[in-house]
Amino acid sequence: MSEARTPFGPQPNVSVYEWDFEHFKIVVLSQYLAMPPHRTGLFFHHVTIDSRGTEPSVQDQLRNMMRGQSPAGCTSHFTRASLIHAIQMVEQIKQEISDPDQLAYLNEMAKAAEAKLAELDAATWLLAGSDYFRTETGQ
């Protein structure tokens, strides 16, 4: 977002928490998934990178990324990442569960998340489901 005072506002299917400061704003998006608890977790974040010392074209790209997106763009990115994380968590949990009902529930949850992700953006799902993505990101 370009202005710290611009309200992020409510978003569909996502809880939004906003804290305004003098020169910046913190916005936290969250969702809940009904799955069994597990001893591990996943997270994603964005970092700010010092672009000084890089080529001008790289500096422009880094500055663009750090400017942020609209609330709808942020929510869309968050939703995609949440679905990818849900699928990855299901796969982790399935390795430790033997109850057939719980396994069936988790398989259905993964199928629903995959379908929603493919509906949002097939290219994102293909990338996230690829062995290359898992190798490069350690997932």
Side-chain angles (χ1 to χ4, degrees):
M1 299 185 59
S2 59
E3 293 261 341
R5 294 186 188 11
T6 304
F8 196 92
Q11 298 296 313
N13 305 313
V14 175
S15 297
V16 178
Y17 305 92
E18 299 180 60
W19 293 273
D20 292 308
F21 298 92
E22 187 174 347
H23 298 290
F24 65 94
K25 173 188 290 217
I26 295 175
V27 179
V28 176
L29 305 178
S30 68
Q31 291 178 317
Y32 295 97
L33 295 171
M35 65 174 49
H38 196 258
R39 60 182 161 62
T40 63
L42 299 169
F43 70 95
F44 69 96
H45 61 280
H46 293 276
V47 297
T48 302
I49 302 168
D50 185 358
S51 62
R52 293 175 293 192
T54 61
E55 296 179 29
S57 63
V58 173
Q59 286 180 10
D60 291 342
Q61 291 174 8
L62 290 172
R63 284 191 195 112
N64 255 349
M65 287 175 24
M66 290 185 280
R67 282 192 184 100
Q69 298 179 21
S70 68
C74 291
T75 302
S76 176
H77 178 75
F78 173 77
T79 300
R80 285 176 174 85
S82 296
L83 290 166
I84 291 169
H85 281 252
I87 294 163
Q88 292 170 340
M89 283 301 300
V90 163
E91 292 305 315
Q92 284 182 347
I93 294 169
K94 281 175 33 178
Q95 294 175 18
E96 299 176 15
I97 291 179
S98 58
D99 181 287
D101 292 334
Q102 284 187 340
L103 286 170
Y105 172 79
L106 290 171
N107 284 329
E108 287 304 313
M109 176 182 267
K111 283 181 192 175
E114 289 170 5
K116 181 65 175 173
L117 193 53
E119 180 182 304
L120 292 172
D121 185 357
T124 300
W125 171 234
L126 290 173
L127 174 64
S130 74
D131 288 335
Y132 173 78
F133 175 83
R134 290 189 182 114
T135 302
E136 293 297 308
T137 61
Q139 302 293 323

